[in-house]
Amino acid sequence: MRRHAVLWSMILLAAAMLVPFVIVALNAVKTPVEYSTGGPLDLPDGVSLDGIIAFWERVDFGEKLWNSVVISGSVAVLAVVVSVFNAYALGIGRVRGRLWILVVFLIANTLPQEALVYPLYFLANEVGLYDTKLAVIIIFTVIQAAFGTYLLTSTLGGFPRELLEAARIDGANKWQTLVRIVVPISRPTLGVLFVFFFIWTWNEFFLPLVLLISNENQTVPVALGVLQGQRMMDATMTSASALLGVIPAIVFFLIFQRALTRGITAGAVK
Amino acid sequence: MSVVRSPIRDRGSYLWFLVPGGLLLLAVILVPFGMNVGISFTEWSGAGAPEWIGLDNYVRLMSDATFWASFRHNVGLVVAMAVLPTLAGLVIAAALFDFVGKHFGSRHAAVLRACIYLPQVLPIAVAGIVWSWILAPQGGALNEVLRAVGLDSLAQNWLGDPDLALWTVMGVMLWVQVGYPVVIFMAGMQRVDPSLHEAAELDGASWWGRFWHVTVPQIRPEIFVVLLTCTIAALKVFAPIYVLTRGGPGGSTNVPSYYSFQNFFEKTQVGYGAAIATVLTVLILVLATVFLRVQNRGER
């Protein structure tokens, strides 16, 4: 009996967590007339894509999606590369002072972005990168790689020494050892890092909000957040915008769920 | 970390691999952070030359009621984003792992876990939009539900009432955050040796007894990680405030990160904003150090 009580309370909880998603989806497919007569809780008569299309065209959502893909994709690739280089030197090369270097990377990852934002904004202006995707890509490559370096250094610290020694005896230099031995063997971890960096960058709000001021450079969260702040949308359009923001996140979630769950665990326990 | 007689001799040349990452770290994090600390000792509008005023910004902070209020609000967010999710996460993870997973199959547990985790993958700005729409005073879904079931008196201006707005934001953040500890704790519970539970059961321990005396102590490392990362996330919180309330109404949901943002870009008091950001940074670093110290001592 108690088992079933627990099961049902968990099912209720899970359903309650999903309610906001359901309400958003329901209202995103209503017409404004349906909404104003029936309110947010009535079931829609049919699926009307008007609100979604209107919102899509108004903010040029395709462009925002593309910006987010370009920025998150570039950051994920570059941050994995930088993390691998750093972790190769720290975890396998065991360079002098590596503990302190790791602490610096860890601190870099913990710093609030508020303490970096104004100098970054100023410097981006100085070097002509203000309001460019490149500035955001460079900055988040460093921020994500700081975490990646920390995680990957502990992983590579346990890399089988025999393999490195064998490669050296076969005449491989350090670069060849990295590319032909270390990277292929660490591929699962690198995959998890890539997924993490992609999603984390996709979800970033504060620095992109400050650095990407013009419409044609904005990412999905920034464009939605700015529009929301202007309070110029009617209810169906707001829920359409929320739905369009939710969909990519759910798609990533479904695609990456395995890697994600594995990755969260990898970060949790040393 | 013993390095005695490492087979790899010319260690120096590994340093080359650190050069790109090190230079990037210098240019994007270390130098800007140093600049931020420097700016905090000046009065500067962002244009022209900053004027050195020493510690004046920090002196002003001490008697700035808005600044202290923003930290009090932050404490509320730490409760909503770290303390409550950790407590709720422990109970939910144990219920899913011990009851649902064992008696109804781990498949069911995984599906329920995924539902609870889902808000975590949303961009926080999008979560804010979803909720500010649900919580709208006129025609928002929550008030409509309350009216539909005859509880008109409970319908509120959730985000527009200064006495209520912070509680509403805390509720939203609890929804956002709770899936993270659930996932991490469930992973930790898989690590716990089942024979510990069996032994406790033979000794006649109840489920709660086993939960408190076996599960919780065994997954202490995970609890520490969750508390630390969630507390830091709560101190840094910006996007939900920006989207839900803009720090209002009447500053009742202002937090340090949003207050520094206002000073940087709305009031153009860049020096003052930099001082707020520096205090926030010091607080976060001190907290992280204390946490890690306590954790290390616990492990020994």
Side-chain angles (χ1 to χ4, degrees):
Chain A
M1 217 53 246
R2 197 166 89 176
R3 288 169 192 175
H4 283 93
V6 173
L7 177 69
W8 280 106
S9 54
M10 285 298 120
I11 289 175
L12 269 180
L13 175 74
M17 296 294 285
L18 297 182
V19 164
F21 295 101
V22 175
I23 295 185
V24 160
L26 275 186
N27 287 284
V29 296
K30 280 183 192 169
T31 62
V33 179
E34 269 180 86
Y35 185 87
S36 56
T37 50
L41 300 177
D42 277 14
L43 289 176
D45 296 332
V47 174
S48 152
L49 296 178
D50 295 354
I52 295 176
I53 291 168
F55 176 79
W56 186 294
E57 285 171 351
R58 172 142 162 213
V59 302
D60 199 349
F61 195 74
E63 183 185 66
K64 306 298 175 284
L65 273 177
W66 177 242
N67 290 340
S68 275
V69 169
V70 168
I71 290 176
S72 310
S74 316
V75 167
V77 171
L78 293 172
V80 168
V81 171
V82 173
S83 306
V84 167
F85 279 173
N86 288 343
Y88 189 50
L90 296 169
I92 288 181
R94 307 198 160 181
V95 297
R96 211 172 290 260
R98 63 187 172 277
L99 207 60
W100 287 109
I101 300 175
L102 260 190
V103 168
V104 172
F105 276 105
L106 206 56
I107 289 175
N109 191 247
T110 329
L111 284 185
Q113 293 175 2
E114 289 74 20
L116 306 172
V117 66
Y118 207 90
L120 287 176
Y121 165 80
F122 178 82
L123 291 172
N125 262 316
E126 291 290 293
V127 296
L129 286 178
Y130 178 60
D131 200 16
T132 63
K133 294 194 258 301
L134 183 60
V136 177
I137 291 171
I138 294 173
I139 290 168
F140 280 107
T141 296
V142 181
I143 292 178
Q144 312 294 26
F147 175 81
T149 301
Y150 169 69
L151 186 74
L152 211 52
T153 299
S154 61
T155 316
L156 292 188
F159 197 85
R161 290 268 142 187
E162 316 84 77
L163 286 178
L164 301 173
E165 186 66 4
R168 199 180 59 86
I169 290 167
D170 286 349
N173 62 29
K174 295 201 173 61
W175 173 253
Q176 289 163 328
T177 309
L178 173 66
V179 174
R180 296 204 191 135
I181 312 279
V182 176
V183 169
I185 290 181
S186 318
R187 188 165 289 158
T189 316
L190 302 185
V192 171
L193 277 183
F194 177 88
V195 171
F196 264 44
F197 293 163
F198 188 93
I199 295 179
W200 287 345
T201 310
W202 186 283
N203 291 352
E204 278 294 341
F205 186 71
F206 181 61
L207 285 176
L209 173 77
V210 171
L211 291 171
L212 299 176
I213 207 76
S214 63
N215 269 325
E216 63 264 28
N217 286 326
Q218 279 172 354
T219 61
V220 171
V222 172
L224 295 181
V226 169
L227 265 180
Q228 168 71 15
Q230 291 166 348
R231 319 239 172 234
M232 273 160 45
M233 295 186 288
D234 62 31
T236 43
M237 207 192 256
T238 308
S239 50
S241 79
L243 185 68
L244 285 175
V246 169
I247 288 174
I250 293 184
V251 170
F252 299 148
F253 180 64
L254 295 177
I255 294 176
F256 298 141
Q257 206 202 357
R258 261 192 71 193
L260 202 70
T261 319
R262 223 187 311 155
I264 297 167
T265 348
V269 190
K270 324 183 256 187
Chain B
M1 284 223 197
S2 122
V3 286
V4 190
R5 276 191 296 141
S6 158
I8 294 153
R9 244 156 266 139
D10 49 341
R11 202 174 293 167
S13 60
Y14 277 103
L15 272 175
W16 290 110
F17 289 93
L18 261 185
V19 170
L23 286 178
L24 281 167
L25 188 76
L26 197 67
V28 173
I29 310 246
L30 300 181
V31 168
F33 180 65
M35 285 170 71
N36 184 77
V37 175
I39 294 169
S40 75
F41 298 119
T42 67
E43 191 175 330
W44 190 32
S45 68
E51 185 197 341
W52 181 268
I53 54 168
L55 289 171
D56 283 8
N57 282 325
Y58 292 92
V59 173
R60 193 178 136 201
L61 273 182
M62 289 299 128
S63 54
D64 180 351
T66 314
F67 172 76
W68 290 107
S70 74
F71 271 105
R72 277 200 304 278
H73 303 151
N74 237 347
V75 173
L77 288 170
V78 169
V79 171
M81 290 177 69
V83 179
L84 292 179
T86 303
L87 295 176
L90 273 173
V91 175
I92 296 167
L96 285 178
F97 188 79
D98 278 347
F99 279 95
V100 180
K102 281 188 186 145
H103 301 302
F104 302 97
S106 55
R107 254 263 170 75
H108 291 91
V111 170
L112 291 172
R113 180 185 64 185
C115 294
I116 296 170
Y117 186 73
L118 197 56
Q120 274 279 303
V121 294
L122 271 193
I124 192 95
V126 173
I129 293 167
V130 169
W131 277 101
S132 65
W133 175 77
I134 290 174
L135 297 167
Q138 297 303 323
L142 180 58
N143 281 351
E144 291 290 317
V145 171
L146 291 171
R147 289 191 186 111
V149 296
L151 293 168
D152 298 49
S153 57
L154 287 182
Q156 304 282 348
N157 187 357
W158 299 102
L159 293 165
D161 180 341
D163 295 328
L164 200 61
L166 184 64
W167 295 99
T168 309
V169 172
M170 285 168 65
V172 172
M173 293 320 292
L174 182 60
W175 176 81
V176 168
Q177 201 74 2
V178 72
Y180 169 68
V182 170
V183 168
I184 297 214
F185 293 160
M186 282 180 76
M189 287 171 187
Q190 274 158 14
R191 209 169 36 84
V192 179
D193 183 355
S195 63
L196 290 173
H197 276 285
E198 283 156 20
E201 214 166 354
L202 283 178
D203 289 346
S206 67
W207 183 81
W208 274 108
R210 279 179 287 136
F211 174 72
W212 276 117
H213 295 112
V214 180
T215 307
V216 172
Q218 286 291 316
I219 63 165
R220 236 173 62 170
E222 280 86 356
I223 297 177
F224 262 112
V225 169
V226 165
L227 273 176
L228 175 63
T229 49
C230 289
T231 305
I232 292 177
L235 291 174
K236 289 178 178 178
V237 85
F238 175 85
I241 300 293
Y242 180 90
V243 177
L244 286 171
T245 64
R246 296 268 173 138
S252 61
T253 56
N254 209 348
V255 289
S257 68
Y258 193 77
Y259 191 40
S260 71
F261 172 82
Q262 281 181 318
N263 277 292
F264 283 137
F265 298 107
E266 288 170 13
K267 302 179 183 168
T268 62
Q269 301 185 341
V270 178
Y272 197 54
I276 299 167
T278 306
V279 172
L280 183 64
T281 308
V282 171
L283 183 72
I284 288 174
L285 290 181
V286 167
L287 208 80
T289 315
V290 170
F291 255 103
L292 293 174
R293 278 272 159 88
V294 172
Q295 185 185 15
N296 276 339
R297 199 174 305 149
E299 273 169 12
R300 252 178 243 135

